[in-house]
Amino acid sequence: MTRRKIRQRAPWPLLVLGSLGAAVFVLPLIGLATRTPWSRLRELVMSDVVVDALKLSLMTSVLAAAISLLLGVPLAWLLARVEFPGRRIVRAIVTLPMVLPPVVGGAALLFALGRRGVIGEPINDATGFLLPFSVWGVVVANVFVAMPFLVVTVEGALRNVDGRHEAAAATLGASRLTVFRRITLPMIAPSVRAGLVLAWARALGEFGATVTFAGNLQGRTQTLPLAVFVALEQDRDTAVAISLVLVAVSLAVLLLLRDRWWSNGADL
Amino acid sequence: MTRRKIRQRAPWPLLVLGSLGAAVFVLPLIGLATRTPWSRLRELVMSDVVVDALKLSLMTSVLAAAISLLLGVPLAWLLARVEFPGRRIVRAIVTLPMVLPPVVGGAALLFALGRRGVIGEPINDATGFLLPFSVWGVVVANVFVAMPFLVVTVEGALRNVDGRHEAAAATLGASRLTVFRRITLPMIAPSVRAGLVLAWARALGEFGATVTFAGNLQGRTQTLPLAVFVALEQDRDTAVAISLVLVAVSLAVLLLLRDRWWSNGADL
Amino acid sequence: TGRDSDETLLVMAAASLTDAFGEIGVAFEAANPDIEVRLNLAGSGALREQIVQGAPADVFASASAQTVQALVSAGLALSPTDFASNELRIAVPTGNPGGVVGIEDLANSELLIGLCGAQVPCGQFARQALEQAGIDASVDTNEGDVRALLGKIEAGELDAGIVYASDIAASDDVDEILLPPTFGVAITYPITILSESPNPDAAGAFVAFVLSVEGQAILHAYGFDPS
Amino acid sequence: MNGLDAHLVVQLAGGFYLDVAFSIAPGETLALLGPNGAGKSTAVDVLAGLTPLDDGHVVLNNRVLDAPADDVFVVAEQRRIGVVFQDYLLFDHLSVLENVMFGPLALGERKPQARAMANELLERLDMQGLSSRTPPQLSGGQAQRVALARALATQPDLLLLDEALAALDVTTRGTLRRVLAQHLSDFSGPRLLITHDPTDAFLLADRIAIVEDGSLSQVGSAEDIRRRPATPYVAALAGTNLLVGTNRAGFLTLDHHGHDLQTADTSIDGPVLITVHPTAIALHRKQPSGSPRNTWQTRVVSVEPLGDTTRITLGDPLPLGVDITPGATAALNLHEGAAVWASVKATEITVTPAAVNVKSGRN
Amino acid sequence: MNGLDAHLVVQLAGGFYLDVAFSIAPGETLALLGPNGAGKSTAVDVLAGLTPLDDGHVVLNNRVLDAPADDVFVVAEQRRIGVVFQDYLLFDHLSVLENVMFGPLALGERKPQARAMANELLERLDMQGLSSRTPPQLSGGQAQRVALARALATQPDLLLLDEALAALDVTTRGTLRRVLAQHLSDFSGPRLLITHDPTDAFLLADRIAIVEDGSLSQVGSAEDIRRRPATPYVAALAGTNLLVGTNRAGFLTLDHHGHDLQTADTSIDGPVLITVHPTAIALHRKQPSGSPRNTWQTRVVSVEPLGDTTRITLGDPLPLGVDITPGATAALNLHEGAAVWASVKATEITVTPAAVNVKSGRN
Ligand SMILES: Nc1ncnc2c1ncn2[C@@H]1O[C@H](COP(=O)(O)OP(=O)(O)OP(=O)(O)O)[C@@H](O)[C@H]1O
Ligand SMILES: Nc1ncnc2c1ncn2[C@@H]1O[C@H](COP(=O)(O)OP(=O)(O)OP(=O)(O)O)[C@@H](O)[C@H]1O
Ligand SMILES: [Mg+2]
Ligand SMILES: [Mg+2]
């Protein structure tokens, strides 16, 4: 006997508003599709430039998402759970990269970490290491713009969690770190995933901060969005084609991911 | 007798990683501060251009956040709770604006809603109404780039909520809409707020899609980030100064907001 | 500019013309009180896209002949007129920390060298110059526009880059190194009235004003040479 | 028919299979008792419309609520079934008053009326001072009372109470039993009361159904349940001893124990359930010489003082519970491991035909 | 001293004020009983280190765990105090086995050892088949057993059981009482058992403390509690009747009721607590003529069949509970509203000095 599924019916106000919401995203995609040079697509997309950019984009966006996870989740936890002076200010500062035009963000990064930057100059003098114009520069720029999404999402989720389960774990002798790893994190897993997706997607699409902080060199720092930008000035068809690659990559990754760990297998 | 507060100590790995995470945001801000023309700041910032842009930015970003809330929460609910064919694809499409370089997103909007657009052309022919180069164009561009953050955050939170409380509400005779409004929404309120902040901040900082879809007309479509862009072409000091306005506005709004409804009053 | 006007003129101008056209707009309004000028400033490519998509614009002043030519072929613009010209220079941070002497140094892989991207006019001209000099430059970044390139040189993040003379004139934080005249490439800025201009008369007046003595003087003040 | 008619067949993911059928007349209270994990809360979920049936049906007042065969399923919010959940499921973001008002408001009641009704219920449940608290600020028993008030406030057609009194203290329990008895007799719908406390069942229910491991093992009046327990679980519930054996003209052979007994009841031949009340067993230090034909020697396994009586558990050959007075316990010097003689009159041993399959009583 | 020494003073936000002091010797079990909302769970939170004290102290085996005056506060994870929470607080994302293994692993136990220990505990609690389930897939009683196993697995220095048996069925309850009694006597630390069930308290505890409305109203052995209840709540717990009055050479004037009684106890003069056991009261259809000096006419307020006995509640002038046999109930034709004569011998009325302030027994 298989379990009978009862069809959930959606109340119409939610259905109407939600569909309108979906239209906001679907319409432009249709717009994009109508202007796509489908016949020349293969040729436009199979160039060196695009392949190089795609590789770089995948690598840097995944790295940036990973770093955002590593640093962002602890930061969110500190913001949500530990009272320290200036907490509110730190929390507000975390959301700044979202507000700052990315180009300005990139400039701020240069001011801080560039060859003449507040931190960058001493580091460069001492070690010769230079972030701008390198792959690591791309990653740093991506982390800067992408991590806030993860931090805000995770902090919101942490505030949703009632502390009693964590307290119960503490009475069992678990240190705060163990509680965090084995109780808190699993409890907010869906939100951490949501935040990770947001951060990854934002990193994949990042343009302004990257071009300003890391520059634009094919094979080294030219990610897909930078390639799109270059193409936009030359030939719209190529730009649209590269954008479709971007769309396809993110669609593929998101569709694959969700099956596994987004929906806990209970999905369509 | 006032309640004794027990100081929460953070485990050092979280402290180290979280501080590193915070450094990602604080350092560039310091960088920016070192390059700010503090003495000329007032003069640079008090121009017509900046005042016009500030007004427009506040209005359009708030409108965009409101629309994102209105359409995005129902959309998130549909995605999380209702099984319909193609749900996974819609969900993936919702995240596209995050991946698409904003300039391409703006172009896609033009293709769909511009005077020659798939939808825009018939609408323009019938009513004479034109979205691009209008304030509404700015709002649409903002909604397009900002709403995904809200949708993903809220959907993640909805998946965190166990359905038993909603079921209990149903046994009390509450329709699905009532359950949604009076039980589900309050339960995920912190995440809705987080999503709203994300969306608003993203809209406030939006540049690429706006400049492409709505143009860059002072007083009509020139938001703060666009003013920064123009200033960057003229005089870096002005650009930094306008960016600081942006930073100050968002800091002010975030600090004010959080006191009231972010932290439920239990904050520092 | 809050006064009543009968007509509003929408001028699409390349971002590098921001300062000069800002002043030209004010001067034009003074001369034509019944016309209000609105500038729409963006990259030439983005402007072209907006025009193609039916922006209700009147005049297009571009940094690239190619962009305008594309619009002319599409029937969206009338035949253009060149209104300004420019020259290339090597820009280095004040004090020249990289010790750049001439165009040969751009091949030095020890230095951090930037150019404009090949998709924008300044990048195309720079590459022409390098080719003529027979130099294979060791490029570390292709910036999106000349201002971005200049910004990085000003900040000392790059040791050298090829930019327009007009940009160097506008900056206090760079030193210039002249290129031999043989490497000079002809750099011209076209302006055109758009076919679908809602105000073709006012558009004509604006173009005429740019080409007038007064307009040319303003352009010169911002480092542009007459065409 | 009016009232509830239910045949619940559900297969849960973990392998648990529920198949029970029962009906409850209007105004009748059925108590559902059973060991942990027997399926009581599952039955509640199914009746309330939170878990769909796999087979069978739920019909309330002639309205079909769930019938997989006919593809009928009425959603929870249209069933008018009030539930007190075992884990309360109070709304943490609403105050106590708002929790109770939620149902009436959802059903279209005006705010003042809903508030008045909620206040009255809270007062009856002795919660008037706490109506502006939120559930996390309540004690366990207070929360349970709010859950009860919330369910009663909707004036449902069917009331499902899943251990609705478990967290209450003795005095409140007494008060609430009276409130509930009062309310239940006012309320004309059928109601299902789930409990682990036989006293609750005996006091509040008209009929008792026992579910064990997913199926019904006994249904009857409190009297039936107490007098003729059909399984060890029911016997424990009734506080009596149950053995399984065969009767041959008054000679009882026990299935699991090596000692025979004699009963005065010779009317039933064949497999029987044997009930021996704990007070019917006498204990002696020396072998008794009187009338009881059933006499055996054994050891004391445990001595549990239960207030007015002491419960002595005997070991092999017959593991029986015996209730004697604390005085007798002292007089006989009973302690763990003490050797004693036990005796029980043949007339005190009741037998019933073993019609129902005997289950282990635990899953 | 070894064991627990606690003086708990806490002021909660809603106005509730807890101030109780008690100590528990190593190996001793103290049962904490009290009405809903009396502060039992609050005491557990404080002892476990989840709520800091406002005043007083918690000292366990000579280690100061909380002492606001000296600014000492040991965090929960360093207290080695095992807790079964009233609402379980199981970890929904972990399996039953992992829930039980969590504590040992957190304390540095190796995985195989932790697993072995968890498996053994689960088996003792009859849960072996369910170790791969997650908590949402458990029944209420099963979840409670997991909570118990999880708390026992850490082998804590102090064990706090907050209604750890409330959701269990009768048979499991019996089994678990034995398991727990066994475990408690193995376990050398002090333990605190919170319950609403006097049987649990009488069986498992060495001493009983009663908390009402935030302060202790009585502490003593089960015998004390049963014989000399100090408040109406304790009397209800002990199943007896409690009245308040003044003794003058055997003549009792009652504080709240207009009827006087006589007692044989003339040793105490002044304010007294008066206990009358429900079985000591006789009921008659006609006025009795024999020896009892205390005789009065009244009406039956309720008749509650409780299995072997029937509980009759009498109305004015003295609201007393009376236990008689079902047979007698039938013979006297007792029903709600019936007029009866009640009598009680003067020797059956016990009085104790009213030393403790009598509280209402409910908040
Ligand atoms: N969501 C679920 N998925 C799979 N099995 C479940 C689920 N919920 C409960 N079960 C199992 O179904 C059986 C019946 O559970 P149910 O909660 O109905 O028992 P119950 O009679 O209410 O017990 P209790 O007296 O302990 O509350 C149990 O064995 C339980 O483990
Ligand atoms: N978080 C809180 N904030 C304010 N008041 C609270 C909070 N938690 C409990 N209370 C109140 O404190 C009092 C004591 O609650 P506590 O949970 O300790 O009672 P309890 O003795 O465990 O009762 P029960 O037997 O019902 O579980 C109650 O009146 C309760 O309403
Ligand atoms: Mg249950
Ligand atoms: Mg409690």
Side-chain angles (χ1 to χ4, degrees):
Chain A
M1 195 179 335
T2 53
R3 214 68 197 83
R4 189 157 60 120
K5 280 238 173 178
I6 297 304
R7 261 179 81 96
Q8 296 260 45
R9 266 189 324 177
W12 68 262
L14 292 184
L15 203 62
V16 169
L17 290 173
S19 307
L20 262 175
V24 170
F25 304 111
V26 173
L27 283 183
L29 202 70
I30 293 176
L32 205 60
T34 58
R35 304 301 163 103
T36 299
W38 293 107
S39 54
R40 296 203 299 135
L41 198 59
R42 224 188 118 79
E43 158 210 344
L44 288 176
V45 155
M46 292 306 282
S47 71
D48 260 19
V49 177
V50 177
V51 173
D52 278 2
L54 178 60
K55 277 193 215 153
L56 187 71
S57 268
L58 283 179
M59 192 189 85
T60 52
S61 63
V62 167
L63 251 174
I67 293 174
S68 297
L69 187 71
L70 187 72
L71 304 183
V73 173
L75 180 57
W77 185 87
L78 289 180
L79 290 175
R81 292 291 162 84
V82 182
E83 291 192 7
F84 56 88
R87 171 161 75 154
R88 271 170 60 204
I89 292 170
V90 172
R91 194 156 50 194
I93 286 177
V94 167
T95 48
L96 285 189
M98 294 192 282
V99 191
L100 227 45
V103 175
V104 177
L109 281 173
L110 267 183
F111 299 156
L113 303 170
R115 191 154 64 151
R116 299 277 179 275
V118 186
I119 313 284
E121 185 154 16
I123 291 181
N124 186 29
D125 288 354
T127 66
F129 180 73
L130 200 58
L131 271 178
F133 314 112
S134 76
V135 175
W136 285 107
V138 179
V139 174
V140 167
N142 281 356
V143 169
F144 178 70
V145 295
M147 195 160 102
F149 297 100
L150 188 117
V151 175
V152 173
T153 310
V154 172
E155 199 202 336
L158 281 171
R159 287 173 180 279
N160 270 340
V161 168
D162 96 297
R164 301 265 315 155
H165 283 92
E166 296 173 334
T171 66
L172 294 168
S175 66
R176 304 205 76 196
L177 189 62
T178 308
V179 173
F180 172 75
R181 281 194 310 116
R182 305 234 17 235
I183 305 298
T184 315
L185 265 192
M187 281 177 81
I188 58 163
S191 287
V192 173
R193 287 172 199 158
L196 194 61
V197 166
L198 288 176
W200 174 76
R202 181 67 186 83
L204 188 66
E206 162 49 29
F207 163 71
T210 310
V211 79
T212 308
F213 182 59
N216 174 17
L217 192 69
Q218 189 195 331
R220 203 190 315 161
T221 58
Q222 188 178 75
T223 56
L224 275 180
L226 270 60
V228 171
F229 174 76
V230 168
L232 260 183
E233 299 282 335
Q234 291 172 314
D235 166 26
R236 205 190 59 199
D237 280 1
T238 311
V240 170
I242 305 179
S243 300
L244 282 183
V245 172
L246 214 47
V247 168
V249 167
S250 71
L251 270 183
V253 170
L254 291 177
L255 286 178
L256 273 176
L257 270 191
R258 309 252 185 164
D259 243 14
R260 288 285 191 81
W261 50 275
W262 186 267
S263 54
N264 305 322
D267 203 17
L268 179 72
Chain B
M1 196 179 331
T2 52
R3 212 71 195 79
R4 191 159 59 121
K5 281 240 174 179
I6 297 304
R7 262 179 80 95
Q8 296 260 45
R9 264 189 323 179
W12 67 263
L14 292 185
L15 204 62
V16 169
L17 291 174
S19 307
L20 262 175
V24 169
F25 303 111
V26 173
L27 284 183
L29 203 69
I30 293 176
L32 205 60
T34 59
R35 304 299 164 103
T36 300
W38 293 107
S39 55
R40 294 205 300 137
L41 197 58
R42 222 188 121 78
E43 159 209 345
L44 289 176
V45 154
M46 292 306 280
S47 71
D48 260 19
V49 178
V50 177
V51 173
D52 278 2
L54 178 60
K55 277 192 214 153
L56 187 71
S57 269
L58 284 179
M59 192 190 84
T60 52
S61 62
V62 167
L63 253 175
I67 294 174
S68 297
L69 186 71
L70 187 72
L71 305 183
V73 172
L75 180 57
W77 185 86
L78 289 180
L79 290 174
R81 292 292 161 84
V82 181
E83 291 192 6
F84 56 88
R87 172 161 74 155
R88 269 170 61 204
I89 292 171
V90 172
R91 195 155 50 194
I93 286 177
V94 167
T95 48
L96 285 189
M98 293 192 282
V99 192
L100 227 46
V103 176
V104 177
L109 282 172
L110 269 183
F111 298 158
L113 304 170
R115 195 155 61 159
R116 305 264 187 283
V118 187
I119 312 285
E121 186 152 16
I123 290 183
N124 186 29
D125 288 353
T127 66
F129 181 72
L130 197 59
L131 269 180
F133 312 108
S134 75
V135 174
W136 285 106
V138 179
V139 174
V140 167
N142 281 356
V143 168
F144 178 70
V145 294
M147 196 161 100
F149 297 100
L150 187 117
V151 174
V152 173
T153 309
V154 172
E155 198 202 337
L158 282 172
R159 289 174 179 279
N160 269 342
V161 167
D162 95 299
R164 302 261 317 151
H165 282 92
E166 295 173 336
T171 66
L172 293 167
S175 66
R176 302 204 78 198
L177 188 63
T178 307
V179 172
F180 171 76
R181 281 194 311 117
R182 303 235 15 235
I183 305 299
T184 315
L185 266 190
M187 282 176 81
I188 58 163
S191 287
V192 173
R193 286 172 200 159
L196 194 61
V197 167
L198 288 177
W200 174 74
R202 181 68 186 82
L204 188 66
E206 161 50 28
F207 165 69
T210 310
V211 80
T212 309
F213 181 60
N216 178 9
L217 303 173
Q218 189 197 329
R220 185 150 19 124
T221 63
Q222 188 179 77
T223 57
L224 274 180
L226 270 61
V228 171
F229 168 77
V230 171
L232 267 178
E233 298 286 332
Q234 295 172 309
D235 165 23
R236 208 189 53 202
D237 279 1
T238 312
V240 169
I242 304 180
S243 300
L244 281 183
V245 173
L246 215 46
V247 167
V249 167
S250 72
L251 271 181
V253 170
L254 292 176
L255 286 178
L256 273 178
L257 271 192
R258 309 252 185 167
D259 242 14
R260 288 284 191 81
W261 49 277
W262 186 267
S263 53
N264 305 324
D267 202 16
L268 179 74
Chain C
T1 58
R3 69 208 156 79
D4 284 338
S5 313
D6 301 334
E7 279 180 293
T8 302
L9 193 68
L10 184 53
V11 176
M12 313 287 247
S16 56
L17 297 168
T18 303
D19 289 340
F21 268 54
E23 196 173 329
I24 287 176
V26 172
F28 178 76
E29 280 177 349
N32 303 272
D34 53 346
I35 302 177
E36 185 190 341
V37 174
R38 278 182 176 275
L39 288 179
N40 186 28
L41 299 159
S44 298
L47 292 175
R48 182 197 58 206
E49 193 60 54
Q50 289 173 0
I51 293 164
V52 169
Q53 289 303 322
D58 301 287
V59 175
F60 180 29
S62 170
S64 141
Q66 243 179 311
T67 321
V68 176
Q69 209 49 56
L71 290 175
V72 171
S73 344
L76 290 169
L78 307 181
S79 64
T81 319
D82 291 342
F83 67 91
S85 70
N86 217 333
E87 276 175 33
L88 292 181
R89 302 264 199 283
I90 293 175
V92 295
T94 314
N96 194 2
V100 175
V101 182
I103 195 165
E104 322 73 57
D105 291 321
L106 299 190
N108 183 353
S109 63
E110 301 281 289
L111 298 178
L112 286 172
I113 307 297
L115 295 181
C116 290
Q119 76 279 10
V120 290
C122 85
Q124 289 154 8
F125 298 134
R127 279 172 180 73
Q128 283 174 27
L130 286 165
E131 201 172 314
Q132 284 178 32
I135 303 276
D136 186 9
S138 154
V139 179
D140 290 288
T141 178
N142 294 299
E143 292 296 309
D145 62 68
V146 65
R147 282 293 169 164
L149 176 58
L150 194 71
K152 285 185 184 168
I153 297 168
E154 286 171 334
E157 297 295 338
L158 290 172
D159 293 314
I162 298 179
V163 301
Y164 293 128
S166 62
D167 296 307
I168 292 178
S171 170
D172 304 328
D173 297 322
V174 289
D175 292 341
E176 65 180 356
I177 293 167
L178 296 178
L179 292 174
T182 42
F183 300 150
V185 274
I187 303 167
T188 54
Y189 291 70
I191 189 166
T192 179
I193 302 169
L194 297 169
S195 320
E196 296 190 5
S197 163
N199 310 302
D201 296 342
F206 186 82
V207 170
F209 186 82
V210 171
L211 296 171
S212 72
V213 178
E214 194 180 352
Q216 291 292 308
I218 294 172
L219 282 164
H220 186 70
Y222 285 96
F224 296 96
D225 296 329
S227 59
Chain D
M1 81 172 227
N2 262 332
L4 175 73
D5 179 35
H7 177 197
L8 314 179
V9 181
V10 183
Q11 171 75 62
L12 293 187
F16 176 76
Y17 186 70
L18 178 74
D19 183 352
V20 296
F22 55 86
S23 48
I24 317 180
E28 189 192 23
T29 303
L30 179 71
L32 192 62
L33 280 85
N36 291 137
K40 305 180 295 298
S41 298
T42 306
V44 167
D45 276 7
V46 171
L47 290 172
L50 307 184
T51 304
L53 280 180
D54 288 321
D55 203 357
H57 60 263
V58 176
V59 181
L60 180 60
N61 299 336
N62 296 312
R63 181 169 167 231
V64 180
L65 298 181
D66 195 350
D70 304 330
D71 206 23
V72 176
F73 182 83
V74 176
V75 291
E77 60 264 36
Q78 283 158 15
R79 292 197 175 191
R80 297 199 52 85
I81 295 181
V83 191
V84 175
F85 291 94
Q86 195 169 5
D87 48 356
Y88 318 153
L89 297 174
L90 297 179
F91 307 133
D92 283 358
H93 60 283
L94 299 180
S95 73
V96 163
L97 184 69
E98 288 165 339
N99 264 278
V100 181
M101 285 169 66
F102 183 90
L105 289 180
L107 292 171
E109 193 66 82
R110 296 288 200 72
K111 250 208 173 132
Q113 280 83 333
R115 179 175 296 116
M117 176 188 275
N119 273 326
E120 195 210 307
L121 268 167
L122 287 171
E123 199 159 326
R124 262 165 78 185
L125 301 183
D126 230 346
M127 291 283 294
Q128 57 278 16
L130 304 174
S131 48
S132 60
R133 292 266 183 93
T134 60
Q137 298 174 319
L138 295 179
S139 80
Q142 290 165 345
Q144 190 160 51
R145 281 182 260 172
V146 177
L148 195 57
R150 191 180 66 173
L152 296 177
T154 55
Q155 305 185 292
D157 290 344
L158 166 65
L159 197 53
L160 307 174
L161 306 171
D162 197 351
E163 306 202 21
L165 304 176
L168 303 180
D169 65 64
V170 266
T171 46
T172 312
R173 215 176 167 80
T175 317
L176 267 184
R177 247 188 233 135
R178 270 190 291 282
V179 168
L180 214 53
Q182 172 67 34
H183 188 96
L184 292 185
S185 62
D186 286 358
F187 164 83
S188 62
R191 48 258 172 174
L192 184 69
L193 174 76
I194 291 175
T195 177
H196 287 306
D197 184 344
T199 311
D200 285 342
F202 294 158
L203 282 183
L204 294 170
D206 301 306
R207 224 156 25 107
I208 294 177
I210 310 286
V211 57
E212 293 185 50
D213 205 7
S215 43
L216 289 180
S217 57
Q218 193 168 3
V219 183
S221 67
E223 207 48 26
D224 290 342
I225 298 292
R226 254 214 332 283
R227 287 278 161 81
R228 284 175 291 279
T231 69
Y233 166 77
V234 186
L237 203 64
T240 190
N241 294 298
L242 186 77
L243 299 166
V244 192
T246 315
N247 192 5
R248 298 264 172 264
F251 284 85
L252 295 169
T253 326
L254 302 185
D255 278 10
H256 307 292
H257 308 287
H259 195 268
D260 293 345
L261 291 172
Q262 284 191 302
T263 173
D265 187 339
T266 53
S267 63
I268 306 158
D269 245 32
V272 286
L273 298 178
I274 303 150
T275 321
V276 188
H277 203 272
T279 53
I281 303 168
L283 298 181
H284 324 263
R285 291 302 278 181
K286 306 215 184 90
Q287 178 160 20
S289 48
S291 62
R293 275 173 290 172
N294 299 308
T295 306
W296 68 99
Q297 197 177 16
T298 180
R299 283 191 178 276
V300 171
V301 170
S302 73
V303 179
E304 300 174 320
L306 292 170
D308 287 339
T309 59
T310 304
R311 161 67 57 107
I312 310 289
T313 310
L314 303 178
D316 281 339
L318 290 175
L320 297 175
V322 182
D323 285 352
I324 60 174
T325 61
T329 313
L332 289 167
N333 187 22
L334 294 180
H335 53 89
E336 232 183 272
V340 286
W341 284 87
S343 66
V344 55
K345 291 186 199 163
T347 50
E348 297 277 7
I349 295 184
T350 6
V351 293
T352 44
V356 193
N357 237 354
V358 176
K359 305 219 166 189
S360 81
R362 194 181 307 143
N363 88 324
Chain E
M1 81 172 229
N2 261 334
L4 173 74
D5 179 35
H7 178 197
L8 314 179
V9 181
V10 183
Q11 171 76 62
L12 293 188
F16 177 77
Y17 185 70
L18 178 74
D19 183 351
V20 295
F22 53 86
S23 47
I24 317 179
E28 189 191 22
T29 303
L30 178 71
L32 193 61
L33 280 86
N36 292 136
K40 305 179 296 296
S41 299
T42 306
V44 166
D45 276 8
V46 171
L47 291 173
L50 307 184
T51 304
L53 279 180
D54 287 322
D55 202 357
H57 60 262
V58 175
V59 182
L60 179 60
N61 298 338
N62 295 315
R63 181 168 165 233
V64 179
L65 298 181
D66 195 350
D70 304 331
D71 207 23
V72 175
F73 183 81
V74 176
V75 291
E77 61 264 36
Q78 283 158 16
R79 291 196 176 193
R80 299 196 55 81
I81 295 181
V83 191
V84 175
F85 291 95
Q86 194 169 6
D87 48 357
Y88 317 152
L89 298 174
L90 297 179
F91 307 133
D92 283 358
H93 61 283
L94 299 179
S95 73
V96 164
L97 185 69
E98 288 165 339
N99 263 279
V100 181
M101 284 169 67
F102 183 90
L105 289 179
L107 293 170
E109 193 67 80
R110 297 286 201 73
K111 252 211 172 129
Q113 279 84 332
R115 179 175 295 116
M117 178 188 272
N119 274 326
E120 195 209 306
L121 268 166
L122 287 172
E123 198 159 328
R124 265 165 76 185
L125 301 183
D126 230 346
M127 290 284 295
Q128 58 279 14
L130 303 175
S131 48
S132 60
R133 294 266 182 94
T134 60
Q137 298 172 319
L138 296 179
S139 80
Q142 290 164 346
Q144 190 160 51
R145 281 183 260 171
V146 177
L148 195 57
R150 189 179 69 172
L152 296 177
T154 55
Q155 305 185 294
D157 290 344
L158 167 65
L159 197 54
L160 308 174
L161 306 172
D162 197 352
E163 305 202 21
L165 303 177
L168 303 181
D169 66 62
V170 268
T171 46
T172 311
R173 214 177 167 78
T175 318
L176 266 184
R177 246 188 234 137
R178 271 191 290 282
V179 168
L180 213 55
Q182 172 68 34
H183 187 96
L184 292 185
S185 63
D186 287 358
F187 165 83
S188 62
R191 49 258 170 175
L192 184 70
L193 174 78
I194 291 175
T195 177
H196 287 306
D197 184 343
T199 312
D200 285 343
F202 294 159
L203 282 183
L204 293 170
D206 301 305
R207 223 155 28 106
I208 294 177
I210 309 288
V211 57
E212 294 184 52
D213 203 8
S215 44
L216 290 181
S217 57
Q218 192 168 5
V219 183
S221 67
E223 206 48 27
D224 291 341
I225 299 292
R226 254 211 335 283
R227 287 279 161 83
R228 284 176 291 281
T231 70
Y233 167 77
V234 185
L237 203 65
T240 190
N241 294 297
L242 186 77
L243 300 166
V244 192
T246 315
N247 192 6
R248 298 265 172 262
F251 286 86
L252 295 169
T253 326
L254 302 186
D255 277 10
H256 307 292
H257 307 286
H259 195 269
D260 293 346
L261 291 172
Q262 284 190 300
T263 172
D265 188 339
T266 53
S267 62
I268 306 159
D269 245 31
V272 285
L273 299 178
I274 303 151
T275 322
V276 189
H277 202 272
T279 53
I281 303 169
L283 299 181
H284 325 263
R285 291 300 279 181
K286 307 213 183 93
Q287 178 159 18
S289 49
S291 62
R293 275 172 291 171
N294 300 306
T295 305
W296 69 97
Q297 197 177 17
T298 181
R299 284 192 178 277
V300 172
V301 168
S302 73
V303 179
E304 300 174 319
L306 293 170
D308 287 340
T309 60
T310 304
R311 161 67 57 110
I312 310 289
T313 310
L314 303 177
D316 281 337
L318 291 175
L320 297 175
V322 182
D323 286 351
I324 59 174
T325 60
T329 312
L332 291 167
N333 186 22
L334 294 180
H335 53 89
E336 231 181 275
V340 286
W341 284 87
S343 66
V344 53
K345 293 186 198 164
T347 50
E348 296 279 3
I349 295 184
T350 3
V351 294
T352 45
V356 192
N357 237 355
V358 177
K359 305 220 168 189
S360 83
R362 194 181 308 142
N363 87 324

